[in-house]
Amino acid sequence: MSSYKIQFPWTARFKDGSELRQFNIDGSENLFKKVLERRDLTEFEVGPVTVDLRDGSFLIHGVKLTGSCGVEAFEEWGIDERLPKRIIYFRRVKRDFDSATLQEKKDPYVVYAVGWQALIPPDEKHPNGCNVKHIVFIHPNGELVVE
Amino acid sequence: MVSTFEWDEHNGVAPGTPTHGITNGNFGNVDQPNIDISVEANKIPRGENSYSKYISGHFSGTYSQIGPNGKLWKSAGSLPSGVTLKAAMTNTYVAPTKTATGDGDIPTAEGSALAVNFGSSEENATAAQTTANPAWTPFYRCQLQTTGAAPTGAIGAQTITLKYDES
């Protein structure tokens, strides 16, 4: 059996100021579905990236990026910041196996993805409504890719 | 703590006998897991096919969801002339034989990779993602096919890549 270590544990913060961490002090783990079961998530932090579900902004290495900023892929979100947003979090796992031994040739390559998704109701700019999604991918070497 | 992963293989008459955590994926002239290719009777005669293999990815451990975006392809390694590796993902197990499976060549680029679903068993792995624990991929059915031009010996190192999302 093979596994991998979590490089960037998550921390969820809620409206009432409480926090839920992926790992408790005793080392036990909270599954991400516990976050999804809550309806009052405000912030979700993964490594150097924190997404704020209230205004859709990303705090990356201490720099806040919003829909109105000029950074590539962040400009022209053009959505109402009050729209409800759904948290996106997953790990994209890539495993390379030797076909003969079926043993892994190296540690899995794990990219962490964090962001949000929202549905824009029909309006003048979007007559049929629109699905908006923004994700930041965090690579093992710390490289960030915005989608 | 995340999911743990191992390869399983089914052999014999349907529904097949599963072997968990197989330690090699060698092709051979026999329907069994963990084939020892140093055994003469297990070697594939030139011009013939190997027995088809039914291998599946098996997830357990700690996770909320496995998938979506499951993909499988051969990402490295060159096959010698006269040798082709056929592959497909299927939810249906049939007893392995040496008859050509009819599957296409295994994709060699992520862009054309085989789509991998997930579910509570190989037969039920029909959705892009699952919350079942344990969980499986469908059967990765593969077969080595040779012509009379195939060289003697092992086919050389090949890399099979499995990629998926997990949370």
Side-chain angles (χ1 to χ4, degrees), chain A residues 1-6 22-23 27-29 31-34 89-105, chain B residues 1-7 22-26 55 60 62-64 69 73 75 156-167:
Chain A
M1 284 202 184
S2 81
S3 192
Y4 61 90
K5 255 187 110 171
I6 292 286
Q22 183 169 5
F23 294 104
S28 59
E29 182 173 4
L31 290 177
F32 177 62
K33 69 180 177 187
K34 275 182 105 168
Y89 166 75
F90 58 85
R91 301 181 295 275
R92 183 152 289 167
V93 184
K94 182 168 173 270
R95 296 173 177 273
D96 289 334
F97 299 90
D98 180 276
S99 68
T101 64
L102 288 182
Q103 302 305 303
E104 290 199 69
K105 301 184 86 164
Chain B
M1 290 183 290
V2 294
S3 69
T4 54
F5 179 87
E6 64 181 3
W7 292 106
I22 57 174
T23 53
N24 80 51
N26 287 332
I55 295 171
S60 57
T62 307
Y63 60 84
S64 291
N69 295 312
W73 73 101
S75 57
Q158 313 291 322
T159 302
I160 303 297
T161 296
L162 176 65
K163 191 173 179 182
Y164 55 90
D165 294 348
E166 171 179 339
S167 62

Side-chain angles (χ1 to χ4, degrees), chain A residues 27-142:
Chain A
S28 59
E29 182 173 4
N30 294 302
L31 290 177
F32 177 62
K33 69 180 177 187
K34 275 182 105 168
V35 177
L36 295 178
E37 285 164 4
R38 299 276 297 253
R39 295 276 175 249
D40 57 345
L41 179 68
T42 54
E43 286 185 348
F44 193 77
E45 179 181 346
V46 181
V49 179
T50 301
V51 59
D52 188 325
L53 292 184
R54 291 163 297 194
D55 62 6
S57 66
F58 287 80
L59 188 68
I60 300 177
H61 289 302
V63 178
K64 186 169 182 171
L65 301 177
T66 65
S68 56
C69 76
V71 176
E72 190 181 354
F74 275 87
E75 77 279 20
E76 295 178 353
W77 285 355
I79 72 163
D80 185 335
E81 292 186 341
R82 292 165 300 181
L83 273 178
K85 300 168 192 67
R86 184 179 68 87
I87 185 71
I88 294 174
Y89 166 75
F90 58 85
R91 301 181 295 275
R92 183 152 289 167
V93 184
K94 182 168 173 270
R95 296 173 177 273
D96 289 334
F97 299 90
D98 180 276
S99 68
T101 64
L102 288 182
Q103 302 305 303
E104 290 199 69
K105 301 184 86 164
K106 54 190 174 190
D107 288 339
Y109 188 86
V110 182
V111 178
Y112 293 71
V114 59
W116 56 262
Q117 174 265 333
L119 287 171
I120 304 176
D123 59 14
E124 265 184 29
K125 195 175 170 189
H126 311 94
N128 297 316
C130 186
N131 182 43
V132 180
K133 191 163 70 170
H134 290 284
I135 302 176
V136 177
F137 292 91
I138 311 165
H139 287 255
N141 64 358

Side-chain angles (χ1 to χ4, degrees), chain B residues 1-63:
Chain B
M1 290 183 290
V2 294
S3 69
T4 54
F5 179 87
E6 64 181 3
W7 292 106
D8 296 348
E9 181 173 342
H10 278 58
N11 302 90
V13 296
T17 303
T19 302
H20 294 282
I22 57 174
T23 53
N24 80 51
N26 287 332
F27 294 96
N29 200 33
V30 60
D31 171 28
Q32 65 181 44
N34 303 319
I35 294 172
D36 181 351
I37 53 170
S38 68
V39 174
E40 198 60 33
N42 291 349
K43 295 177 181 175
I44 307 162
R46 192 178 281 124
E48 297 184 11
N49 303 327
S50 74
Y51 271 81
S52 51
K53 292 183 90 68
Y54 286 76
I55 295 171
S56 55
H58 175 183
F59 299 86
S60 57
T62 307
Y63 60 84

